[in-house]
Coordinates of all heavy atoms in Angstrom, one line a residue:
S1 N 16.8 0.2 -3.1 CA 16.6 1.6 -2.8 C 15.1 1.7 -2.4 O 14.3 0.9 -2.8 CB 16.9 2.4 -4.0 OG 15.9 2.3 -5.0
N2 N 14.8 2.8 -1.8 CA 13.4 3.1 -1.3 C 12.5 3.2 -2.5 O 11.3 2.7 -2.5 CB 13.3 4.3 -0.4 CG 14.0 4.1 0.9 OD1 14.2 3.0 1.4 ND2 14.3 5.2 1.5
R3 N 12.9 3.8 -3.6 CA 12.0 4.0 -4.7 C 11.7 2.6 -5.4 O 10.6 2.3 -5.7 CB 12.7 4.9 -5.7 CG 11.9 4.9 -7.1 CD 12.5 5.9 -8.0 NE 11.7 7.1 -7.8 CZ 11.8 8.2 -8.5 NH1 12.7 8.4 -9.3 NH2 10.9 9.1 -8.2
V4 N 12.7 1.8 -5.5 CA 12.5 0.4 -6.1 C 11.6 -0.3 -5.2 O 10.7 -1.0 -5.7 CB 13.9 -0.3 -6.4 CG1 13.7 -1.7 -6.8 CG2 14.7 0.5 -7.4
L5 N 11.9 -0.3 -4.0 CA 11.0 -1.0 -3.0 C 9.5 -0.6 -3.1 O 8.6 -1.5 -3.2 CB 11.5 -0.8 -1.6 CG 10.8 -1.6 -0.5 CD1 11.3 -3.0 -0.5 CD2 11.2 -1.0 0.9
F6 N 9.3 0.7 -3.2 CA 8.0 1.2 -3.3 C 7.3 0.8 -4.6 O 6.2 0.3 -4.6 CB 8.0 2.7 -3.2 CG 6.6 3.3 -3.3 CD1 5.7 3.3 -2.2 CD2 6.2 4.0 -4.4 CE1 4.4 3.9 -2.3 CE2 4.9 4.5 -4.6 CZ 4.0 4.4 -3.5
E7 N 8.1 1.0 -5.7 CA 7.5 0.6 -7.0 C 7.2 -0.9 -7.2 O 6.2 -1.2 -7.8 CB 8.4 1.1 -8.1 CG 8.4 2.6 -8.3 CD 9.5 3.1 -9.2 OE1 10.3 2.3 -9.7 OE2 9.5 4.3 -9.5
T8 N 8.0 -1.7 -6.5 CA 7.8 -3.1 -6.7 C 6.7 -3.6 -5.8 O 5.9 -4.5 -6.3 CB 9.1 -3.8 -6.2 OG1 10.2 -3.3 -7.0 CG2 9.0 -5.3 -6.4
Y9 N 6.4 -3.1 -4.6 CA 5.5 -3.7 -3.6 C 4.3 -2.8 -3.3 O 3.4 -3.3 -2.6 CB 6.2 -4.0 -2.4 CG 7.3 -5.1 -2.6 CD1 8.7 -4.7 -2.6 CD2 7.0 -6.4 -2.8 CE1 9.6 -5.7 -2.7 CE2 7.9 -7.4 -3.0 CZ 9.3 -7.0 -3.0 OH 10.2 -7.9 -3.2
Q10 N 4.2 -1.6 -3.8 CA 3.1 -0.7 -3.4 C 1.7 -1.2 -3.7 O 0.8 -1.1 -3.0 CB 3.3 0.8 -3.8 CG 3.1 1.0 -5.3 CD 1.7 1.4 -5.5 OE1 0.9 1.8 -4.7 NE2 1.3 1.3 -6.8
R11 N 1.6 -1.9 -4.9 CA 0.3 -2.4 -5.3 C -0.1 -3.5 -4.4 O -1.3 -3.6 -3.9 CB 0.3 -2.8 -6.8 CG -1.0 -3.5 -7.2 CD -1.0 -3.7 -8.7 NE -1.7 -2.5 -9.2 CZ -1.6 -2.1 -10.5 NH1 -0.8 -2.6 -11.3 NH2 -2.3 -1.0 -10.9
D12 N 0.8 -4.4 -4.1 CA 0.5 -5.6 -3.2 C 0.1 -5.1 -1.8 O -0.8 -5.6 -1.2 CB 1.6 -6.5 -3.1 CG 1.8 -7.4 -4.4 OD1 0.8 -7.6 -5.1 OD2 3.0 -7.8 -4.6
V13 N 0.9 -4.1 -1.3 CA 0.6 -3.6 0.0 C -0.8 -2.9 0.1 O -1.6 -3.1 0.9 CB 1.6 -2.6 0.5 CG1 1.3 -1.9 1.8 CG2 3.0 -3.3 0.7
Y14 N -1.0 -2.1 -0.9 CA -2.3 -1.4 -1.0 C -3.5 -2.4 -1.1 O -4.5 -2.2 -0.4 CB -2.4 -0.4 -2.2 CG -3.8 0.3 -2.2 CD1 -4.0 1.4 -1.5 CD2 -4.7 -0.2 -3.0 CE1 -5.3 2.0 -1.4 CE2 -6.0 0.4 -3.1 CZ -6.2 1.5 -2.3 OH -7.5 2.1 -2.3
R15 N -3.4 -3.3 -2.0 CA -4.5 -4.3 -2.2 C -4.7 -5.0 -0.9 O -5.8 -5.3 -0.5 CB -4.2 -5.3 -3.3 CG -4.4 -4.7 -4.6 CD -4.1 -5.6 -5.8 NE -4.2 -7.0 -5.4 CZ -4.0 -8.0 -6.3 NH1 -3.7 -7.8 -7.5 NH2 -4.0 -9.2 -5.9
T16 N -3.7 -5.4 -0.2 CA -3.8 -6.1 1.1 C -4.6 -5.2 2.1 O -5.5 -5.7 2.8 CB -2.4 -6.6 1.6 OG1 -1.8 -7.5 0.7 CG2 -2.6 -7.3 2.9
C17 N -4.1 -4.0 2.2 CA -4.7 -3.1 3.1 C -6.2 -2.9 2.7 O -7.1 -2.9 3.6 CB -4.0 -1.7 3.1 SG -2.4 -1.8 3.8
Y18 N -6.5 -2.7 1.5 CA -7.8 -2.4 1.1 C -8.8 -3.7 1.4 O -9.8 -3.5 1.9 CB -8.0 -2.2 -0.4 CG -9.3 -1.9 -0.9 CD1 -9.9 -0.7 -0.7 CD2 -10.0 -2.9 -1.6 CE1 -11.2 -0.4 -1.1 CE2 -11.3 -2.7 -2.0 CZ -11.9 -1.5 -1.7 OH -13.2 -1.2 -2.2
Y19 N -8.3 -4.9 1.1 CA -9.1 -6.1 1.4 C -9.3 -6.3 2.9 O -10.2 -6.9 3.3 CB -8.6 -7.3 0.7 CG -8.9 -7.4 -0.7 CD1 -8.2 -6.9 -1.8 CD2 -10.3 -7.9 -1.1 CE1 -8.7 -7.0 -3.1 CE2 -10.7 -7.9 -2.4 CZ -9.9 -7.5 -3.4 OH -10.4 -7.6 -4.7
M20 N -8.3 -5.8 3.7 CA -8.5 -6.1 5.1 C -9.3 -5.0 5.8 O -10.1 -5.2 6.7 CB -7.1 -6.1 5.8 CG -6.4 -7.4 5.4 SD -5.0 -7.7 6.5 CE -5.8 -8.0 8.1
V21 N -9.2 -3.7 5.3 CA -10.0 -2.6 6.1 C -11.2 -2.1 5.2 O -12.1 -1.5 5.8 CB -9.1 -1.4 6.4 CG1 -8.0 -1.9 7.3 CG2 -8.6 -0.7 5.1
H22 N -11.3 -2.4 3.9 CA -12.4 -2.1 3.1 C -12.7 -0.6 3.0 O -13.9 -0.2 3.0 CB -13.6 -2.9 3.5 CG -13.5 -4.4 3.3 ND1 -13.3 -5.1 2.2 CD2 -13.3 -5.3 4.3 CE1 -13.1 -6.3 2.4 NE2 -13.0 -6.5 3.6
D23 N -11.8 0.2 3.0 CA -11.9 1.6 2.9 C -10.7 2.1 2.2 O -9.6 2.0 2.7 CB -12.1 2.2 4.3 CG -12.3 3.7 4.2 OD1 -13.5 4.2 4.1 OD2 -11.3 4.5 4.3
A24 N -11.0 2.8 1.1 CA -9.9 3.3 0.2 C -9.0 4.3 1.0 O -7.7 4.2 0.8 CB -10.4 3.9 -1.0
A25 N -9.6 5.2 1.6 CA -8.7 6.2 2.4 C -7.9 5.6 3.4 O -6.7 5.9 3.5 CB -9.6 7.3 2.9
D26 N -8.5 4.7 4.2 CA -7.7 4.0 5.2 C -6.6 3.2 4.6 O -5.5 3.1 5.2 CB -8.7 3.2 6.1 CG -9.5 4.0 7.1 OD1 -9.2 5.2 7.2 OD2 -10.4 3.4 7.6
A27 N -6.9 2.5 3.5 CA -5.9 1.6 2.8 C -4.8 2.5 2.4 O -3.6 2.1 2.5 CB -6.6 0.9 1.7
E28 N -5.0 3.7 1.8 CA -3.9 4.6 1.4 C -3.1 5.0 2.5 O -1.8 5.0 2.5 CB -4.5 5.7 0.6 CG -5.1 5.4 -0.7 CD -5.9 6.6 -1.3 OE1 -5.8 7.7 -0.8 OE2 -6.5 6.4 -2.4
D29 N -3.8 5.4 3.6 CA -3.0 5.8 4.9 C -2.1 4.7 5.4 O -1.0 4.8 5.8 CB -4.0 6.2 5.9 CG -4.6 7.6 5.6 OD1 -4.1 8.3 4.7 OD2 -5.7 7.9 6.2
L30 N -2.7 3.5 5.4 CA -2.0 2.3 6.0 C -0.8 2.0 5.0 O 0.3 1.6 5.5 CB -2.9 1.1 6.1 CG -3.9 1.2 7.3 CD1 -4.9 0.1 7.2 CD2 -3.1 1.0 8.6
T31 N -1.0 2.1 3.7 CA 0.1 1.9 2.7 C 1.2 2.8 3.0 O 2.3 2.4 3.1 CB -0.5 2.0 1.4 OG1 -1.5 1.0 1.1 CG2 0.7 1.8 0.4
Q32 N 0.9 4.1 3.2 CA 1.9 5.1 3.5 C 2.7 4.7 4.8 O 3.9 4.7 4.9 CB 1.3 6.5 3.6 CG 2.2 7.6 3.6 CD 1.5 8.9 3.5 OE1 0.4 9.1 4.1 NE2 2.1 9.8 2.8
D33 N 1.9 4.3 5.8 CA 2.5 4.0 7.1 C 3.4 2.8 7.0 O 4.5 2.7 7.6 CB 1.4 3.7 8.2 CG 0.7 4.9 8.6 OD1 1.1 6.0 8.4 OD2 -0.4 4.7 9.2
V34 N 3.0 1.8 6.2 CA 3.8 0.6 6.0 C 5.2 0.9 5.3 O 6.2 0.5 5.8 CB 3.1 -0.5 5.1 CG1 4.0 -1.6 4.6 CG2 2.0 -1.1 5.9
F35 N 5.1 1.8 4.3 CA 6.3 2.2 3.6 C 7.2 3.1 4.5 O 8.5 3.0 4.4 CB 6.0 2.7 2.2 CG 5.8 1.7 1.2 CD1 4.5 1.4 0.8 CD2 6.9 0.9 0.7 CE1 4.2 0.4 -0.1 CE2 6.6 0.0 -0.2 CZ 5.3 -0.3 -0.6
I36 N 6.7 3.9 5.3 CA 7.5 4.7 6.2 C 8.2 3.7 7.2 O 9.4 3.9 7.5 CB 6.6 5.7 7.1 CG1 6.1 6.8 6.1 CG2 7.3 6.2 8.2 CD1 5.1 7.7 6.7

């Protein structure tokens, strides 16, 4: 389910985004885009 998918992988997705773009706001936006 979408909820399980999000809860399972959101931390890994956010950390990857953060380490690649080095901006918290951009990492949050990218994480949201990835899950969409």
Side-chain angles (χ1 to χ4, degrees):
S1 75
N2 289 344
R3 171 174 262 184
V4 171
L5 185 75
F6 180 79
E7 289 172 354
T8 304
Y9 297 107
Q10 74 92 16
R11 177 170 263 155
D12 286 335
V13 169
Y14 178 82
R15 283 180 23 178
T16 300
C17 292
Y18 180 79
Y19 276 98
M20 289 195 64
V21 300
H22 300 288
D23 181 89
D26 286 346
E28 289 172 7
D29 291 344
L30 285 165
T31 299
Q32 192 173 38
D33 291 344
V34 167
F35 280 100
I36 288 170

